[in-house]
PDB file of all heavy atoms in Angstrom:
ATOM      1  N   PRO A1476     149.700 130.626 181.301  1.00  0.00           N
ATOM      2  CA  PRO A1476     150.967 130.022 181.119  1.00  0.00           C
ATOM      3  C   PRO A1476     151.569 129.742 182.521  1.00  0.00           C
ATOM      4  O   PRO A1476     151.182 130.402 183.593  1.00  0.00           O
ATOM      5  CB  PRO A1476     151.819 130.945 180.465  1.00  0.00           C
ATOM      6  CG  PRO A1476     151.266 132.361 180.729  1.00  0.00           C
ATOM      7  CD  PRO A1476     149.736 132.137 180.891  1.00  0.00           C
ATOM      8  N   ASN A1514     154.961 123.848 174.368  1.00  0.00           N
ATOM      9  CA  ASN A1514     154.278 124.584 175.674  1.00  0.00           C
ATOM     10  C   ASN A1514     152.841 124.945 175.277  1.00  0.00           C
ATOM     11  O   ASN A1514     152.015 125.198 176.078  1.00  0.00           O
ATOM     12  CB  ASN A1514     155.118 125.792 176.067  1.00  0.00           C
ATOM     13  CG  ASN A1514     155.453 125.517 177.505  1.00  0.00           C
ATOM     14  OD1 ASN A1514     156.394 126.273 177.897  1.00  0.00           O
ATOM     15  ND2 ASN A1514     154.857 124.808 178.341  1.00  0.00           N
ATOM     16  N   PHE A1537     163.806 122.646 182.199  1.00  0.00           N
ATOM     17  CA  PHE A1537     164.618 121.796 182.844  1.00  0.00           C
ATOM     18  C   PHE A1537     165.985 122.527 183.308  1.00  0.00           C
ATOM     19  O   PHE A1537     166.548 123.449 182.587  1.00  0.00           O
ATOM     20  CB  PHE A1537     164.956 120.529 182.158  1.00  0.00           C
ATOM     21  CG  PHE A1537     165.780 120.610 180.991  1.00  0.00           C
ATOM     22  CD1 PHE A1537     167.142 120.456 181.052  1.00  0.00           C
ATOM     23  CD2 PHE A1537     165.209 120.596 179.652  1.00  0.00           C
ATOM     24  CE1 PHE A1537     167.947 120.534 179.962  1.00  0.00           C
ATOM     25  CE2 PHE A1537     166.123 120.621 178.508  1.00  0.00           C
ATOM     26  CZ  PHE A1537     167.441 120.563 178.669  1.00  0.00           C
ATOM     27  N   LEU A1538     166.502 122.125 184.519  1.00  0.00           N
ATOM     28  CA  LEU A1538     167.466 122.835 185.126  1.00  0.00           C
ATOM     29  C   LEU A1538     168.734 121.921 185.068  1.00  0.00           C
ATOM     30  O   LEU A1538     168.670 120.658 184.954  1.00  0.00           O
ATOM     31  CB  LEU A1538     167.215 123.195 186.572  1.00  0.00           C
ATOM     32  CG  LEU A1538     166.037 124.198 186.734  1.00  0.00           C
ATOM     33  CD1 LEU A1538     165.650 124.234 188.151  1.00  0.00           C
ATOM     34  CD2 LEU A1538     166.536 125.661 186.177  1.00  0.00           C
ATOM     35  N   TRP A1548     198.093 125.677 178.413  1.00  0.00           N
ATOM     36  CA  TRP A1548     199.582 125.825 178.313  1.00  0.00           C
ATOM     37  C   TRP A1548     199.888 126.737 177.109  1.00  0.00           C
ATOM     38  O   TRP A1548     199.744 126.171 175.919  1.00  0.00           O
ATOM     39  CB  TRP A1548     200.254 124.452 178.346  1.00  0.00           C
ATOM     40  CG  TRP A1548     201.717 124.616 178.131  1.00  0.00           C
ATOM     41  CD1 TRP A1548     202.652 125.547 178.677  1.00  0.00           C
ATOM     42  CD2 TRP A1548     202.647 123.648 177.359  1.00  0.00           C
ATOM     43  NE1 TRP A1548     203.864 125.195 178.269  1.00  0.00           N
ATOM     44  CE2 TRP A1548     203.934 124.110 177.564  1.00  0.00           C
ATOM     45  CE3 TRP A1548     202.352 122.651 176.694  1.00  0.00           C
ATOM     46  CZ2 TRP A1548     204.967 123.445 176.964  1.00  0.00           C
ATOM     47  CZ3 TRP A1548     203.431 121.976 176.064  1.00  0.00           C
ATOM     48  CH2 TRP A1548     204.702 122.440 176.135  1.00  0.00           C
ATOM     49  N   GLY A1554     201.370 129.846 170.288  1.00  0.00           N
ATOM     50  CA  GLY A1554     200.847 128.379 170.324  1.00  0.00           C
ATOM     51  C   GLY A1554     200.245 128.134 171.636  1.00  0.00           C
ATOM     52  O   GLY A1554     200.551 128.758 172.681  1.00  0.00           O
ATOM     53  N   GLY A1582     136.546 109.425 169.222  1.00  0.00           N
ATOM     54  CA  GLY A1582     136.629 108.359 170.109  1.00  0.00           C
ATOM     55  C   GLY A1582     137.981 108.541 170.859  1.00  0.00           C
ATOM     56  O   GLY A1582     138.468 109.617 171.155  1.00  0.00           O
ATOM     57  N   GLY A1593     162.565 113.094 183.203  1.00  0.00           N
ATOM     58  CA  GLY A1593     163.770 112.411 183.250  1.00  0.00           C
ATOM     59  C   GLY A1593     164.983 113.084 183.768  1.00  0.00           C
ATOM     60  O   GLY A1593     165.040 114.411 183.837  1.00  0.00           O
ATOM     61  N   SER A1605     196.435 124.867 169.032  1.00  0.00           N
ATOM     62  CA  SER A1605     196.525 125.803 168.029  1.00  0.00           C
ATOM     63  C   SER A1605     197.905 126.418 168.006  1.00  0.00           C
ATOM     64  O   SER A1605     198.580 126.563 169.071  1.00  0.00           O
ATOM     65  CB  SER A1605     195.565 127.033 168.192  1.00  0.00           C
ATOM     66  OG  SER A1605     195.904 127.739 169.568  1.00  0.00           O
ATOM     67  N   THR A1627     182.359 112.630 174.932  1.00  0.00           N
ATOM     68  CA  THR A1627     181.180 112.825 175.891  1.00  0.00           C
ATOM     69  C   THR A1627     180.516 111.557 176.144  1.00  0.00           C
ATOM     70  O   THR A1627     180.276 110.625 175.287  1.00  0.00           O
ATOM     71  CB  THR A1627     180.179 113.806 175.213  1.00  0.00           C
ATOM     72  OG1 THR A1627     180.832 114.949 174.878  1.00  0.00           O
ATOM     73  CG2 THR A1627     179.023 114.128 176.175  1.00  0.00           C
ATOM     74  N   LYS A1630     174.805 109.325 181.156  1.00  0.00           N
ATOM     75  CA  LYS A1630     174.038 108.479 182.005  1.00  0.00           C
ATOM     76  C   LYS A1630     172.708 109.031 182.221  1.00  0.00           C
ATOM     77  O   LYS A1630     172.466 109.979 182.671  1.00  0.00           O
ATOM     78  CB  LYS A1630     174.678 108.340 183.415  1.00  0.00           C
ATOM     79  CG  LYS A1630     176.063 107.631 183.379  1.00  0.00           C
ATOM     80  CD  LYS A1630     175.866 106.061 183.057  1.00  0.00           C
ATOM     81  CE  LYS A1630     177.267 105.467 183.101  1.00  0.00           C
ATOM     82  NZ  LYS A1630     177.131 103.964 182.638  1.00  0.00           N
ATOM     83  N   TYR A1633     165.109 107.459 180.850  1.00  0.00           N
ATOM     84  CA  TYR A1633     163.828 108.129 180.736  1.00  0.00           C
ATOM     85  C   TYR A1633     163.008 107.360 179.679  1.00  0.00           C
ATOM     86  O   TYR A1633     163.556 106.373 179.110  1.00  0.00           O
ATOM     87  CB  TYR A1633     163.875 109.751 180.432  1.00  0.00           C
ATOM     88  CG  TYR A1633     164.786 109.884 179.140  1.00  0.00           C
ATOM     89  CD1 TYR A1633     164.133 110.115 177.933  1.00  0.00           C
ATOM     90  CD2 TYR A1633     166.212 109.949 179.178  1.00  0.00           C
ATOM     91  CE1 TYR A1633     164.772 110.437 176.826  1.00  0.00           C
ATOM     92  CE2 TYR A1633     166.798 110.241 178.057  1.00  0.00           C
ATOM     93  CZ  TYR A1633     166.227 110.486 176.909  1.00  0.00           C
ATOM     94  OH  TYR A1633     166.900 110.777 175.682  1.00  0.00           O
ATOM     95  N   TYR A1658     196.209 130.298 156.640  1.00  0.00           N
ATOM     96  CA  TYR A1658     197.345 131.036 156.348  1.00  0.00           C
ATOM     97  C   TYR A1658     196.871 132.370 156.471  1.00  0.00           C
ATOM     98  O   TYR A1658     195.920 132.894 155.889  1.00  0.00           O
ATOM     99  CB  TYR A1658     197.837 130.797 154.885  1.00  0.00           C
ATOM    100  CG  TYR A1658     198.995 131.635 154.468  1.00  0.00           C
ATOM    101  CD1 TYR A1658     200.327 131.183 154.824  1.00  0.00           C
ATOM    102  CD2 TYR A1658     198.818 132.731 153.646  1.00  0.00           C
ATOM    103  CE1 TYR A1658     201.453 131.953 154.348  1.00  0.00           C
ATOM    104  CE2 TYR A1658     199.956 133.476 153.345  1.00  0.00           C
ATOM    105  CZ  TYR A1658     201.271 133.132 153.583  1.00  0.00           C
ATOM    106  OH  TYR A1658     202.348 133.849 153.332  1.00  0.00           O
ATOM    107  N   GLY A1678     165.831 112.069 167.376  1.00  0.00           N
ATOM    108  CA  GLY A1678     164.474 111.983 167.808  1.00  0.00           C
ATOM    109  C   GLY A1678     164.213 110.769 168.631  1.00  0.00           C
ATOM    110  O   GLY A1678     164.613 109.632 168.403  1.00  0.00           O
ATOM    111  N   GLN A1684     156.535 104.803 167.644  1.00  0.00           N
ATOM    112  CA  GLN A1684     157.499 105.127 166.709  1.00  0.00           C
ATOM    113  C   GLN A1684     158.898 104.934 167.208  1.00  0.00           C
ATOM    114  O   GLN A1684     159.164 105.104 168.343  1.00  0.00           O
ATOM    115  CB  GLN A1684     157.393 106.709 166.393  1.00  0.00           C
ATOM    116  CG  GLN A1684     156.039 107.054 165.668  1.00  0.00           C
ATOM    117  CD  GLN A1684     156.026 108.528 165.566  1.00  0.00           C
ATOM    118  OE1 GLN A1684     156.289 109.273 166.344  1.00  0.00           O
ATOM    119  NE2 GLN A1684     155.387 109.012 164.290  1.00  0.00           N
ATOM    120  N   ALA A1719     179.680 115.678 150.968  1.00  0.00           N
ATOM    121  CA  ALA A1719     179.209 114.771 151.972  1.00  0.00           C
ATOM    122  C   ALA A1719     177.624 114.519 151.970  1.00  0.00           C
ATOM    123  O   ALA A1719     177.058 115.617 151.824  1.00  0.00           O
ATOM    124  CB  ALA A1719     179.677 115.062 153.367  1.00  0.00           C
ATOM    125  N   TYR A1722     172.945 111.020 156.522  1.00  0.00           N
ATOM    126  CA  TYR A1722     171.975 109.950 156.672  1.00  0.00           C
ATOM    127  C   TYR A1722     171.303 109.904 158.018  1.00  0.00           C
ATOM    128  O   TYR A1722     171.984 110.155 159.018  1.00  0.00           O
ATOM    129  CB  TYR A1722     172.693 108.579 156.480  1.00  0.00           C
ATOM    130  CG  TYR A1722     173.419 108.483 155.086  1.00  0.00           C
ATOM    131  CD1 TYR A1722     174.647 108.811 154.949  1.00  0.00           C
ATOM    132  CD2 TYR A1722     172.658 107.830 154.072  1.00  0.00           C
ATOM    133  CE1 TYR A1722     175.259 108.704 153.724  1.00  0.00           C
ATOM    134  CE2 TYR A1722     173.293 107.666 152.762  1.00  0.00           C
ATOM    135  CZ  TYR A1722     174.612 108.033 152.638  1.00  0.00           C
ATOM    136  OH  TYR A1722     175.207 108.007 151.315  1.00  0.00           O
ATOM    137  N   ILE A1734     168.114 110.364 153.345  1.00  0.00           N
ATOM    138  CA  ILE A1734     169.350 110.670 152.834  1.00  0.00           C
ATOM    139  C   ILE A1734     169.278 112.173 152.358  1.00  0.00           C
ATOM    140  O   ILE A1734     168.535 112.558 151.425  1.00  0.00           O
ATOM    141  CB  ILE A1734     169.859 109.715 151.650  1.00  0.00           C
ATOM    142  CG1 ILE A1734     169.771 108.322 152.111  1.00  0.00           C
ATOM    143  CG2 ILE A1734     171.168 110.195 151.109  1.00  0.00           C
ATOM    144  CD1 ILE A1734     170.118 107.281 150.962  1.00  0.00           C
ATOM    145  N   ARG A1746     183.695 143.113 149.870  1.00  0.00           N
ATOM    146  CA  ARG A1746     183.461 144.164 150.825  1.00  0.00           C
ATOM    147  C   ARG A1746     184.067 145.417 150.655  1.00  0.00           C
ATOM    148  O   ARG A1746     185.409 145.484 150.599  1.00  0.00           O
ATOM    149  CB  ARG A1746     183.663 143.584 152.183  1.00  0.00           C
ATOM    150  CG  ARG A1746     183.229 144.428 153.398  1.00  0.00           C
ATOM    151  CD  ARG A1746     183.613 143.727 154.758  1.00  0.00           C
ATOM    152  NE  ARG A1746     184.963 143.540 154.996  1.00  0.00           N
ATOM    153  CZ  ARG A1746     185.576 142.872 156.020  1.00  0.00           C
ATOM    154  NH1 ARG A1746     184.731 142.159 156.670  1.00  0.00           N
ATOM    155  NH2 ARG A1746     186.886 142.834 156.035  1.00  0.00           N
ATOM    156  N   GLU A1748     184.651 149.666 151.998  1.00  0.00           N
ATOM    157  CA  GLU A1748     184.380 150.768 152.982  1.00  0.00           C
ATOM    158  C   GLU A1748     184.498 152.030 152.246  1.00  0.00           C
ATOM    159  O   GLU A1748     185.237 152.370 151.405  1.00  0.00           O
ATOM    160  CB  GLU A1748     185.438 150.669 154.046  1.00  0.00           C
ATOM    161  CG  GLU A1748     185.442 149.361 154.906  1.00  0.00           C
ATOM    162  CD  GLU A1748     186.671 149.374 155.934  1.00  0.00           C
ATOM    163  OE1 GLU A1748     187.179 150.344 156.129  1.00  0.00           O
ATOM    164  OE2 GLU A1748     186.786 148.302 156.507  1.00  0.00           O
ATOM    165  N   PHE A1749     183.514 152.966 152.626  1.00  0.00           N
ATOM    166  CA  PHE A1749     183.499 154.206 151.889  1.00  0.00           C
ATOM    167  C   PHE A1749     183.634 155.252 153.024  1.00  0.00           C
ATOM    168  O   PHE A1749     183.237 155.142 154.216  1.00  0.00           O
ATOM    169  CB  PHE A1749     182.027 154.410 151.267  1.00  0.00           C
ATOM    170  CG  PHE A1749     181.807 153.296 150.169  1.00  0.00           C
ATOM    171  CD1 PHE A1749     181.118 152.279 150.469  1.00  0.00           C
ATOM    172  CD2 PHE A1749     182.222 153.530 148.909  1.00  0.00           C
ATOM    173  CE1 PHE A1749     180.728 151.247 149.524  1.00  0.00           C
ATOM    174  CE2 PHE A1749     182.071 152.587 147.985  1.00  0.00           C
ATOM    175  CZ  PHE A1749     181.346 151.432 148.227  1.00  0.00           C
TER     176      PHE A1749
END
Side-chain angles (χ1 to χ4, degrees):
N1514 241 158
F1537 71 84
L1538 299 167
W1548 176 37
S1605 64
T1627 305
K1630 290 294 182 183
Y1633 57 100
Y1658 180 82
Q1684 295 177 321
Y1722 298 89
I1734 301 176
R1746 186 178 66 191
E1748 298 179 9
F1749 300 97

